[in-house]
């Protein structure tokens, strides 16, 4: 693998037929800027904003152009990365096993993310849905964004990820007006509800605040 940022950029330009002058204008520099960087070594390093713009344009990690490899800002720019837990929340009959080691998966615009929740990225997880009990709201393969900080203490009507008898489930909760009791509901009418459950019978992992899916 090529590690020198100049060689990386030169190869990308050659493979994709990019024009040095056009790339220079992309980063708001004079038309000869990229050519001088590649051929004459001036400047010695691309500035942070220049690296970020070029990395986004070529859809590569900024670290390939000289950014710090373990710096989230270098990898994702201004976007906020959110870890995906490689387990599946069942919208069906049973638990879905998996390794619960979190890894970065999606990155979101910070203003958009803030419009959904005040929680930090460390309190958010992406989980994939399995099963059809929440159809048509959620379907197999949907990725759901779960706010882990929005759990039992702030419980209200909505869709939550729950752990019930070891099974990780995604269900709709209807909170009873009196007492700490809930009804666990499926949006698919083919599945029955669990009425009048105590909070000691379920473990509320977090509230589902967003879902993404592929359109077939």
């Amino acid at each position: 693998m090529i590690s020198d940022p100049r060689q990386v950029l030169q190869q990308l330009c050659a493979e994709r037929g990019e024009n040095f002058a056009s790339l220079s204008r992309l980063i708001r520099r004079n038309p000869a800027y990229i050519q001088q960087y590649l051929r004459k070594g001036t400047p010695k390093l691309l500035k942070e904003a220049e690296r970020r713009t070029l990395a986004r344009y070529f859809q590569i990690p900024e670290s390939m152009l000289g950014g710090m490899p373990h710096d989230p800002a270098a990898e994702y720019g201004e976007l906020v990365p959110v870890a995906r837990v490689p387990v599946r929340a069942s919208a069906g009959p049973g638990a879905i096993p998996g390794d619960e080691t979190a890894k970065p998966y999606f990155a979101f615009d910070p203003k958009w993310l803030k419009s959904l929740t005040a929680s930090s990225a460390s309190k958010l997880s992406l989980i994939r849905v399995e099963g059809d009990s929440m159809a048509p709201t959620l379907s197999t393969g949907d990725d759901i964004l779960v706010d882990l900080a929005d759990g039992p203490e702030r419980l209200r009507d909505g869709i939550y990820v729950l752990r019930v008898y070891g099974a990780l489930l995604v269900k709709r909760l209807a909170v009873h007006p009196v007492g700490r009791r809930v009804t666990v509901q499926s949006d698919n009418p083919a599945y029955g509800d669990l009425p009048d459950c105590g909070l000691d019978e379920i473990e509320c992992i977090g509230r589902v605040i967003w879902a993404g899916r592929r359109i077939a």
Side-chain angles (χ1 to χ4, degrees):
M1 180 181 293
I2 298 174
S3 58
D4 179 77
R6 282 187 174 80
Q7 293 180 8
V8 170
L9 186 55
Q10 182 118 18
Q11 181 170 320
L12 286 169
C13 290
E15 290 176 349
R16 305 186 190 185
E18 295 290 347
N19 181 277
F20 293 161
S22 297
L23 291 179
S24 298
R25 287 192 289 270
L26 177 68
I27 60 174
R28 300 182 180 180
R29 292 290 185 174
N30 69 74
Y33 187 82
I34 291 295
Q35 183 173 354
Q36 290 173 345
Y37 168 71
L38 294 175
R39 303 285 171 77
K40 298 182 179 180
T42 303
K44 291 183 179 181
L45 299 172
L46 293 171
K47 292 186 177 180
E48 181 180 351
E50 297 166 354
R51 285 197 315 264
R52 186 167 298 165
T53 300
L54 290 170
R56 289 180 178 177
Y57 179 76
F58 285 110
Q59 297 184 322
I60 61 172
E62 193 180 330
S63 57
M64 293 179 69
L65 297 178
M68 295 296 292
H70 300 297
D71 179 4
E75 296 295 328
Y76 300 99
E78 296 177 359
L79 301 179
V80 178
V82 173
R84 176 182 173 187
V85 180
V87 298
R88 296 190 175 204
S90 177
I96 304 300
D99 173 15
E100 297 198 17
T101 302
K103 298 178 181 179
Y105 185 63
F106 281 8
F108 297 94
D109 176 83
K111 291 183 180 179
W112 180 86
L113 197 59
K114 191 174 182 179
S115 72
L116 291 181
T117 177
S119 299
S120 66
S122 65
K123 296 296 184 181
L124 304 175
S125 286
L126 280 147
I127 299 176
R128 184 152 291 179
V129 173
E130 182 81 10
D132 64 350
S133 75
M134 287 299 292
T137 308
L138 299 172
S139 302
T140 293
D142 288 355
D143 287 298
I144 53 175
L145 183 61
V146 183
D147 188 346
L148 306 176
D150 196 349
E153 296 78 10
R154 301 167 55 192
L155 200 65
R156 57 204 183 280
D157 291 356
I159 299 176
Y160 288 83
V161 172
L162 313 170
R163 196 183 301 276
V164 182
Y165 302 117
L168 199 64
L169 307 175
V170 54
K171 297 289 182 182
R172 187 178 298 279
L173 291 186
V175 181
H176 296 186
V178 179
R180 299 287 284 172
R181 312 285 294 181
V182 299
T183 293
V184 180
Q185 301 174 326
S186 299
D187 284 6
N188 187 339
Y191 290 79
D193 298 339
L194 297 175
D196 197 29
C197 294
L199 293 184
D200 58 341
E201 301 175 61
I202 61 175
E203 180 185 354
C204 184
I205 304 297
R207 185 179 177 91
V208 178
I209 59 174
W210 175 86
R213 66 177 53 174
R214 184 178 68 180
I215 304 298

